[in-house]
Amino acid sequence: MITKVTYPQEGIAMITMDAPESAANILDEQLFSELDRTMAELAEQTDLKGVILISAKPTIFVAGADLKSIAATLDWPEKKIVEFCQRGRAVMARFSRCPFVSIAAIHGACVGGGLELPMWCDCRIASDDRRTILGLPEVKLGLVPGWAGTARLPRITNLEVAVDLVTSGRLISAREAKSIDLIDAIVPQELLIEEAIKIIHRVSTSESFIFDRKKIMGPVENMGDMEAIVQKHGKQIIENKKIFPFAPTVALEHMTRSASLPIKAAWNSESVAMSQVYGSPASRGLINHFFLIDHNKKQPGLVDMSLSPAKIHTVGIVGAGLMGKAIAENCLKRGLNVMLLDANSQIQRAVTSQLKCNYPDRSIHSCENYDSFASCTLVIESVVEIVAVKSQVLQEIESAVDDSTVIASNTSAIPIETLANHLQRPENFCGIHFCHPELMSLVEVVCGPQSSEQTIATAVEFVKNLRKMPVAMNDGAGFVVNRLLAAMIDQSLRIFTNGTSIETIDRAMRDFGFPGGPFEIIDVIGIDTCLYAGRTMWESGSQCVTLSPILPRLVKTGFLGRKQGKGFYAYPEMQGERQWNDSLLSIIEIYRDDKDESSKPNEKQIVTQILSAIVLEATRIIDEEIVADFQDIDLCIIEGFGFPAHHGGILFWADQVGIETVLQTLENISKVEPRIVPNAVIQRHAKNQTRFYPALTPSEKI
Ligand code: NAD
């Protein structure tokens, strides 16, 4: 049983939700059935004044709908989706039809369907705890609320507020919820029941709930300036890079169209909106992304979660460049002490004083030498990507620190084994590769052949404490993210040398959903960094890169990317946006075989060629057992280099276009690039018509 009914006072019933053996209550079929039956039974009682709906969970009221059931029904026809919405509404409606006052006493996360349920109650109160958050984040899964959330919210608050919350999917605090009249009172958690009882007595005596129930059945009262709302939020939806615009656009259209109608028409319109987005390609991709993150929270790759990681208070960082500084900032933000050392004392001084200025109440120590690291539980090396320099630095660190200190390298591509060869205690050493600490959540924790399980457990916990996403994986040049990235860069350079322009390639990938095209991404990382990482992978025998002359030529000519103002594009200081770099073409045009764009691949073909090459690299990574399971690759590509989440990951994309298309594309490329040969994993999937994610793939190809 999930629910339990008690009577905290005569005439007052309380339904406590507490899903057994689970940290969260979710709106699954069992909870719906129990609420349905319980409310039917309570409605039969003649002496009740009110019912309180509450959760026994310490951090969650109701976490929303059962996503596993939704994922299993994405191929439903429209009729079934409408029935699914009707069924949920019918159960929740019991809280607005019962012959007594209903009140939700909310503590913890109250989101999605978990907020729609209290919105059917006569009153809502919430705890003042910071863990109490409310919202309708369905659009983040490519869906819209389906149990009358879009119909009741504007009638409880107003249209502008409701449109904002539904189309952005943002979560709000109890305080903000009170300020928009979504909840009636905020009290300390321990006083929730007492306050709920008081409200029941007051509302029951005044019978105001009967009036309110009638009022909500009509059109939205506070509609505001409809045209302005449509304009403002339409623009925000397009500008919001974090959310795929399809579901928010459908929600905006439906909410503004149905605001002037009686609520029944509004919720019928909502069901139609839901049927438009349910099972859409974007929603499937976003649901997959949600599952990837959920999976990572439980098992972040190849790490033994039963081990107790070492506690980290002070982190030493060697190298105060682009990365070292960003890692230091991440540590300081989470309250860790930082010790910083750079060979260039000017850089060290400048970075330390800037960090001290940004984080005045944190401890940042500018080190004179390696001896300062004696008190550190973790030291991260983040110096230039050159084996000899890194090895020297790592040895210096090792000789200064305690026997138990974890030492990590932020190398982009050098195998951990190569660096560990120079150390006395390789068991204490691993890779902690921050893909881009400012822009990306993913951090690869790389387990060298000699890294101890304890070292990996400590590294994973450290990354979690930074509120980043760790994926622990086996060693190999380029690990995961940079191998996939290298495959993208390699194909982009190949398509460029075959005659397609840089702008066309970048536009094609941006239109697919990447935050920037491949050449823009190279500029952000640094052309030199990409060159060195690519070279490391090539030297280790990796098949995902060739030695294109373009990057070395650019580095030699002084084109290093955005950090230095010029790369594939120009970044004039103080002028904001990047510009096309005219001087570039004269340098690299000689490497382009054919300049006639008319016979070149169109944008869709460019995307398919580049992504197919990435699929090939992803399947090689699976073959080499670098990751614990294939989902880790999809998490890495989304959270590590900005693959669009609504495509669900590179292997998820392969499923959607069909692995046969990938195979065909690779076979075509292999005629001119023998390295790009489809491997056994791809051949097998194509032959057996199997999928990586059979459950989430539509019956028909997109
Ligand atoms: P950077 O050139 O900006 O900084 C390197 C810093 O190391 C410089 O300040 C330099 O003075 C210092 N340094 C060089 N030799 C040293 C030594 N012997 N002792 C102490 N300090 C020394 O480079 P970066 O972009 O910060 O990259 C650092 C590391 O992070 C590299 O391994 C790189 O591959 C990796 N990385 C880079 C990116 C990226 O996007 N740039 C992303 C992830 C990882």
Side-chain angles (χ1 to χ4, degrees), residues 153-178:
L153 187 57
R155 288 161 176 82
I156 292 169
T157 60
N158 63 59
L159 186 62
E160 162 96 58
V161 160
V163 163
D164 169 42
L165 289 182
V166 170
T167 59
S168 69
R170 77 185 173 88
L171 303 180
I172 58 175
S173 64
R175 192 169 296 277
E176 187 176 348
K178 172 81 176 64

Short mmCIF file of all heavy atoms in Angstrom, two decimals, residues 153-178:
data_model
loop_
_atom_site.label_atom_id
_atom_site.label_comp_id
_atom_site.label_asym_id
_atom_site.label_seq_id
_atom_site.Cartn_x
_atom_site.Cartn_y
_atom_site.Cartn_z
N LEU A 153 -4.10 25.88 -13.46
CA LEU A 153 -3.11 26.87 -13.01
C LEU A 153 -3.49 28.32 -13.36
O LEU A 153 -3.44 29.20 -12.49
CB LEU A 153 -1.72 26.51 -13.56
CG LEU A 153 -0.54 27.35 -13.05
CD1 LEU A 153 -0.43 27.33 -11.53
CD2 LEU A 153 0.78 26.88 -13.66
N PRO A 154 -3.91 28.61 -14.62
CA PRO A 154 -4.27 30.02 -14.90
C PRO A 154 -5.52 30.47 -14.15
O PRO A 154 -5.71 31.67 -13.92
CB PRO A 154 -4.52 30.02 -16.42
CG PRO A 154 -4.72 28.61 -16.81
CD PRO A 154 -3.98 27.77 -15.82
N ARG A 155 -6.36 29.52 -13.75
CA ARG A 155 -7.58 29.88 -13.02
C ARG A 155 -7.30 30.04 -11.52
O ARG A 155 -8.04 30.69 -10.81
CB ARG A 155 -8.69 28.84 -13.29
CG ARG A 155 -9.24 28.97 -14.71
CD ARG A 155 -9.96 27.73 -15.20
NE ARG A 155 -10.55 27.94 -16.53
CZ ARG A 155 -9.87 27.83 -17.67
NH1 ARG A 155 -8.60 27.49 -17.66
NH2 ARG A 155 -10.47 28.04 -18.83
N ILE A 156 -6.19 29.44 -11.04
CA ILE A 156 -5.79 29.62 -9.64
C ILE A 156 -4.92 30.88 -9.53
O ILE A 156 -5.07 31.68 -8.61
CB ILE A 156 -4.98 28.39 -9.14
CG1 ILE A 156 -5.90 27.17 -9.06
CG2 ILE A 156 -4.33 28.67 -7.78
CD1 ILE A 156 -5.16 25.84 -8.83
N THR A 157 -4.01 31.07 -10.50
CA THR A 157 -3.11 32.25 -10.47
C THR A 157 -3.61 33.24 -11.53
O THR A 157 -4.62 33.89 -11.32
CB THR A 157 -1.65 31.83 -10.73
OG1 THR A 157 -1.55 31.20 -12.00
CG2 THR A 157 -1.15 30.86 -9.67
N ASN A 158 -2.94 33.35 -12.63
CA ASN A 158 -3.43 34.12 -13.77
C ASN A 158 -2.76 33.58 -15.03
O ASN A 158 -1.82 32.77 -14.96
CB ASN A 158 -3.18 35.63 -13.58
CG ASN A 158 -1.71 35.95 -13.50
OD1 ASN A 158 -0.93 35.66 -14.42
ND2 ASN A 158 -1.26 36.52 -12.38
N LEU A 159 -3.22 34.03 -16.18
CA LEU A 159 -2.75 33.43 -17.44
C LEU A 159 -1.26 33.65 -17.66
O LEU A 159 -0.53 32.73 -18.04
CB LEU A 159 -3.56 34.00 -18.62
CG LEU A 159 -3.25 33.33 -19.96
CD1 LEU A 159 -3.60 31.84 -19.95
CD2 LEU A 159 -3.98 34.03 -21.10
N GLU A 160 -0.79 34.86 -17.40
CA GLU A 160 0.62 35.18 -17.66
C GLU A 160 1.54 34.27 -16.84
O GLU A 160 2.48 33.66 -17.37
CB GLU A 160 0.85 36.66 -17.31
CG GLU A 160 2.30 37.04 -17.12
CD GLU A 160 2.94 37.62 -18.37
OE1 GLU A 160 2.41 38.63 -18.85
OE2 GLU A 160 3.96 37.08 -18.83
N VAL A 161 1.23 34.17 -15.54
CA VAL A 161 2.05 33.33 -14.65
C VAL A 161 2.00 31.87 -15.11
O VAL A 161 3.03 31.18 -15.17
CB VAL A 161 1.52 33.46 -13.19
CG1 VAL A 161 1.97 32.29 -12.34
CG2 VAL A 161 1.99 34.77 -12.58
N ALA A 162 0.79 31.40 -15.43
CA ALA A 162 0.64 29.99 -15.81
C ALA A 162 1.40 29.69 -17.10
O ALA A 162 2.09 28.67 -17.20
CB ALA A 162 -0.85 29.66 -15.97
N VAL A 163 1.29 30.60 -18.08
CA VAL A 163 1.99 30.38 -19.35
C VAL A 163 3.50 30.34 -19.09
O VAL A 163 4.23 29.50 -19.62
CB VAL A 163 1.62 31.49 -20.37
CG1 VAL A 163 2.63 31.53 -21.51
CG2 VAL A 163 0.22 31.24 -20.92
N ASP A 164 3.97 31.25 -18.24
CA ASP A 164 5.40 31.29 -17.93
C ASP A 164 5.86 29.96 -17.33
O ASP A 164 6.83 29.35 -17.79
CB ASP A 164 5.68 32.45 -16.96
CG ASP A 164 7.09 32.38 -16.40
OD1 ASP A 164 8.01 32.09 -17.19
OD2 ASP A 164 7.28 32.59 -15.18
N LEU A 165 5.12 29.47 -16.32
CA LEU A 165 5.56 28.24 -15.64
C LEU A 165 5.47 27.03 -16.55
O LEU A 165 6.36 26.18 -16.56
CB LEU A 165 4.74 28.01 -14.36
CG LEU A 165 5.02 28.98 -13.21
CD1 LEU A 165 4.19 28.64 -11.99
CD2 LEU A 165 6.51 28.97 -12.82
N VAL A 166 4.40 26.96 -17.34
CA VAL A 166 4.22 25.77 -18.19
C VAL A 166 5.22 25.77 -19.34
O VAL A 166 5.84 24.75 -19.64
CB VAL A 166 2.77 25.69 -18.73
CG1 VAL A 166 2.65 24.60 -19.79
CG2 VAL A 166 1.79 25.43 -17.59
N THR A 167 5.42 26.91 -20.00
CA THR A 167 6.27 26.90 -21.20
C THR A 167 7.77 26.89 -20.88
O THR A 167 8.57 26.48 -21.70
CB THR A 167 5.97 28.09 -22.15
OG1 THR A 167 6.19 29.30 -21.43
CG2 THR A 167 4.55 28.04 -22.67
N SER A 168 8.12 27.35 -19.67
CA SER A 168 9.55 27.30 -19.31
C SER A 168 9.88 26.02 -18.55
O SER A 168 11.02 25.60 -18.50
CB SER A 168 9.94 28.50 -18.44
OG SER A 168 9.33 28.37 -17.17
N GLY A 169 8.87 25.44 -17.91
CA GLY A 169 9.09 24.24 -17.09
C GLY A 169 9.90 24.54 -15.84
O GLY A 169 10.37 23.64 -15.16
N ARG A 170 10.05 25.84 -15.50
CA ARG A 170 10.93 26.15 -14.37
C ARG A 170 10.25 25.82 -13.04
O ARG A 170 9.03 25.85 -12.93
CB ARG A 170 11.41 27.61 -14.44
CG ARG A 170 10.45 28.64 -14.03
CD ARG A 170 11.01 30.04 -14.26
NE ARG A 170 9.96 31.01 -13.99
CZ ARG A 170 9.73 31.51 -12.79
NH1 ARG A 170 10.48 31.17 -11.77
NH2 ARG A 170 8.74 32.38 -12.60
N LEU A 171 11.12 25.50 -12.07
CA LEU A 171 10.63 25.14 -10.74
C LEU A 171 10.75 26.35 -9.83
O LEU A 171 11.68 27.15 -9.95
CB LEU A 171 11.43 23.96 -10.18
CG LEU A 171 11.44 22.71 -11.06
CD1 LEU A 171 12.26 21.60 -10.42
CD2 LEU A 171 10.03 22.20 -11.34
N ILE A 172 9.80 26.48 -8.89
CA ILE A 172 9.81 27.66 -8.02
C ILE A 172 9.80 27.24 -6.55
O ILE A 172 9.40 26.12 -6.21
CB ILE A 172 8.61 28.60 -8.32
CG1 ILE A 172 7.27 27.85 -8.15
CG2 ILE A 172 8.71 29.18 -9.72
CD1 ILE A 172 6.05 28.75 -8.32
N SER A 173 10.22 28.17 -5.70
CA SER A 173 10.24 27.91 -4.26
C SER A 173 8.83 28.10 -3.70
O SER A 173 7.95 28.67 -4.36
CB SER A 173 11.18 28.91 -3.59
OG SER A 173 10.65 30.22 -3.77
N ALA A 174 8.64 27.65 -2.45
CA ALA A 174 7.34 27.85 -1.79
C ALA A 174 7.03 29.34 -1.70
O ALA A 174 5.89 29.77 -1.87
CB ALA A 174 7.39 27.22 -0.41
N ARG A 175 8.07 30.13 -1.43
CA ARG A 175 7.86 31.58 -1.30
C ARG A 175 7.30 32.17 -2.61
O ARG A 175 6.34 32.93 -2.60
CB ARG A 175 9.21 32.25 -0.96
CG ARG A 175 9.12 33.67 -0.52
CD ARG A 175 10.45 34.11 0.05
NE ARG A 175 10.79 33.36 1.26
CZ ARG A 175 10.34 33.68 2.46
NH1 ARG A 175 9.57 34.71 2.63
NH2 ARG A 175 10.68 32.96 3.51
N GLU A 176 7.93 31.77 -3.74
CA GLU A 176 7.43 32.30 -5.02
C GLU A 176 6.02 31.77 -5.30
O GLU A 176 5.17 32.51 -5.80
CB GLU A 176 8.39 31.93 -6.17
CG GLU A 176 7.97 32.60 -7.47
CD GLU A 176 8.92 32.38 -8.65
OE1 GLU A 176 10.03 31.89 -8.45
OE2 GLU A 176 8.51 32.73 -9.78
N ALA A 177 5.79 30.51 -4.94
CA ALA A 177 4.45 29.93 -5.15
C ALA A 177 3.40 30.72 -4.37
O ALA A 177 2.28 30.94 -4.83
CB ALA A 177 4.45 28.47 -4.74
N LYS A 178 3.78 31.16 -3.16
CA LYS A 178 2.84 31.95 -2.35
C LYS A 178 2.59 33.31 -3.01
O LYS A 178 1.45 33.80 -3.07
CB LYS A 178 3.45 32.12 -0.94
CG LYS A 178 2.70 33.06 -0.02
CD LYS A 178 1.50 32.36 0.61
CE LYS A 178 0.76 33.23 1.63
NZ LYS A 178 0.13 34.41 1.09
#
